Amino acid sequence: MNERLTCIGCGREYDASEIRYTCDCGNLLSVERDSVTVDRRVFDQRRTSREKVDQSGVWRFREAGLSVDHGDIVTHPEGLTRLYERDGILFKHEGENPTGSFKDRGMTVAVTQAKRLGATTVACASTGNTSASLAAYAAQAGLRAVVFVPSGKISGGKLAQTLAYGALCLQVRGDFDAAMQLVRAACDRLGIYLVNSINPFRIEGQKTIVWELLQDMEWQAPDWIVVPAGNLGNTSAFGKALREAHAAGWIDRMPRLASIQAVGANPFYRGFEDSFETRHRVQAETVASAIRIGDPVSWERAVGAIRSTNGLVEQVTDEELMSAKRAIDRMGIGCEPASATTLAGVRKLRSAGMMRQNERIVCVLTGNILKDTDAILKNVPPDQIVEIDPTIEAVERAVS
Ligand code: F0G
């Protein structure tokens, strides 16, 4: 294996075949390798390949992800999501992944690694998307999946999807942060492989969101990449992806990263406000249940991502994000509430003059519109849904 695990704090290195998520000093780990020398044209050539690994938008970039025998890879395949342009803004729709969220990109790598390490059971804490993705990939790999979700706090669609793929679902009486603490302790105690984004192999997979969108743009870097921020796995992955793409010469300038939180779940925004002097924790509450997270695990990695991209963190109210969701839905694209923090953030940053009208902006839509149908049905205008008798007169009245 070319990869090693490197502590992001003290720099200590561990073998990548070791099962560990943090350094002995307590800091998070990062998957590192000697510099990547692949020419980006190799990735472009793979676009027309018939090989299964090339048809995955994750494994297409394998030299800079995880070096592994092709036969060991657990892939649906995933990725190859569309990049839409609407009203001058680009939207990379990660809700078009096999289980309807970006999580599949990290999960294909983490579950591949789980199999290689000989794990038989895999676990995560989740607000619903990670659990659905884990359940699907574990089913494909023949592993047992155990998911920890905050009881009553995740959407019905995500819960049903997780159960359908066959995972054991532990509904924790508490919030996501409590479920996260519990799954870490449970994995340590019971020898279960943890695949939350604290697991550095998840980050390796999620980097490909950025690489694929750069490839979609023919390697002309945009000015901004905008992403929702909850547990901060994506923010961390995007920073690493941009640093590596720049170092490898795939892009010649760095886009800026904008991470957007909901006002009611904004510890990272508070950190940004005080130049990350303090690690903030909050009691999280927002309509965007995917990012109802008060104590994100990837804090330090994400701080590095914001700093190294000259990025920023913004917050938006539930009203602002739901208004942006309606706009994205009415463009015919659609997304779940958490994803719409991106457009809400762009609107706010533009009106504050932080983003300019002529700048190229890519919003990453993280989840599919059908992930949270309750959030839609609760907000339908009363005259848009009408119950009628089965008569032509009733139809005439309704449409007039
Ligand atoms: N958008 C969606 C749709 C999500 O499901 C999540 C996280 C995020 C954004 C935030 O990404 O955590 O990398 O900052 N969902 C996790 C889950 C927590 O369990 O599904 P992040």
Side-chain angles (χ1 to χ4, degrees):
M1 223 191 268
N2 295 332
E3 294 79 23
R4 53 189 181 272
L5 300 175
T6 306
C7 173
I8 65 161
C10 72
R12 183 167 167 189
E13 294 191 346
Y14 299 90
D15 198 285
S17 58
E18 204 175 317
I19 298 186
R20 61 158 61 235
Y21 317 101
T22 51
C23 180
D24 285 345
C25 78
N27 265 303
L28 299 174
L29 299 170
S30 167
V31 177
E32 297 295 335
R33 60 190 65 73
D34 297 332
S35 63
V36 176
T37 52
V38 191
D39 192 300
R40 68 184 192 210
R41 279 174 296 198
V42 172
F43 307 138
D44 294 342
Q45 280 153 11
R46 288 178 183 158
R47 285 186 130 154
T48 51
S49 161
R50 288 178 177 275
E51 283 261 347
K52 196 173 169 192
V53 280
D54 295 338
Q55 288 174 2
S56 161
V58 173
W59 296 99
R60 172 185 296 172
F61 302 99
R62 53 193 171 272
E63 289 84 355
L66 183 63
S67 51
V68 38
D69 289 341
H70 292 189
D72 288 346
I73 293 175
V74 183
T75 174
H76 262 61
E78 48 290 307
L80 303 193
T81 58
R82 267 160 289 232
L83 184 68
Y84 299 99
E85 178 150 14
R86 296 287 187 278
D87 301 334
I89 298 176
L90 293 156
F91 295 91
K92 179 75 171 162
H93 207 327
E94 288 298 303
E96 295 177 350
N97 271 291
T99 76
S101 83
F102 72 94
K103 305 287 181 180
D104 295 339
R105 292 193 188 250
M107 210 50 79
T108 179
V109 180
V111 169
T112 295
Q113 180 67 0
K115 268 204 96 165
R116 295 168 82 213
L117 296 172
T120 53
T121 306
V122 282
C124 70
S126 181
T127 54
N129 280 327
T130 306
S131 58
S133 180
L134 172 60
Y137 280 82
Q140 185 179 349
L143 302 174
R144 179 163 193 240
V146 183
V147 308
F148 294 61
V149 299
S151 190
K153 296 281 170 63
I154 75 170
S155 84
K158 294 176 188 175
L159 180 63
Q161 192 185 9
T162 303
L163 292 166
Y165 293 131
L168 170 64
C169 204
L170 304 181
Q171 306 209 71
V172 181
R173 290 189 199 97
D175 57 13
F176 170 82
D177 302 294
M180 188 67 232
Q181 276 188 13
L182 186 61
V183 75
R184 286 179 75 169
C187 286
D188 276 350
R189 169 83 72 94
L190 305 173
I192 296 173
Y193 192 62
L194 180 62
V195 296
N196 274 102
S197 56
I198 191 171
N199 182 320
F201 292 96
R202 279 273 312 277
I203 304 293
E204 291 309 284
Q206 286 171 208
K207 289 187 309 191
T208 65
I209 300 170
V210 166
W211 294 342
E212 194 180 279
L213 77 81
L214 292 171
Q215 187 175 33
D216 293 337
M217 299 177 78
E218 293 175 359
W219 306 101
Q220 299 300 307
D223 295 293
W224 292 94
I225 298 178
V226 189
V227 64
N231 216 13
L232 302 178
N234 250 358
T235 299
S236 305
F238 285 25
K240 192 165 189 279
L242 289 171
R243 287 193 297 274
E244 291 177 0
H246 196 252
W250 302 338
I251 48 172
D252 49 26
R253 66 187 185 95
M254 284 285 244
R256 297 178 70 186
L257 205 54
S259 291
I260 319 292
Q261 295 213 290
V263 165
N266 67 352
F268 196 51
Y269 173 76
R270 291 182 193 205
F272 179 72
E273 287 279 279
D274 71 11
S275 307
F276 299 117
E277 301 245 315
T278 325
R279 177 158 179 174
H280 295 264
R281 293 175 174 84
V282 303
Q283 191 68 47
E285 192 46 80
T286 164
V287 286
S289 60
I291 51 171
R292 200 183 282 145
I293 295 172
D295 184 13
V297 293
S298 287
W299 183 279
E300 285 88 5
R301 280 198 284 240
V303 171
I306 296 300
R307 286 193 172 138
S308 63
T309 61
N310 186 25
L312 53 78
V313 187
E314 183 55 280
Q315 61 173 357
V316 295
T317 64
D318 280 0
E319 237 167 55
E320 288 166 336
L321 74 89
M322 286 307 287
S323 148
K325 174 178 151 56
R326 268 189 299 281
I328 294 166
D329 293 349
R330 296 297 173 95
M331 291 169 187
I333 296 176
C335 64
E336 68 166 283
S339 308
T341 54
T342 53
L343 179 60
V346 169
R347 286 173 167 179
K348 203 164 167 182
L349 290 162
R350 272 184 167 171
S351 65
M354 297 294 292
M355 284 180 179
R356 286 191 302 275
Q357 209 65 30
N358 61 348
E359 286 181 313
R360 295 279 280 170
I361 299 170
V362 183
C363 291
V364 176
L365 301 179
T366 44
N368 191 281
I369 189 172
L370 290 175
K371 284 284 194 172
D372 191 348
T373 49
D374 287 347
I376 301 168
L377 294 172
K378 268 188 214 138
N379 289 290
V380 181
D383 59 351
Q384 198 193 345
I385 179 162
V386 187
E387 190 174 47
I388 58 163
D389 290 323
T391 65
I392 201 73
E393 293 75 22
V395 175
E396 265 188 316
R397 269 196 304 276
V399 300
S400 65

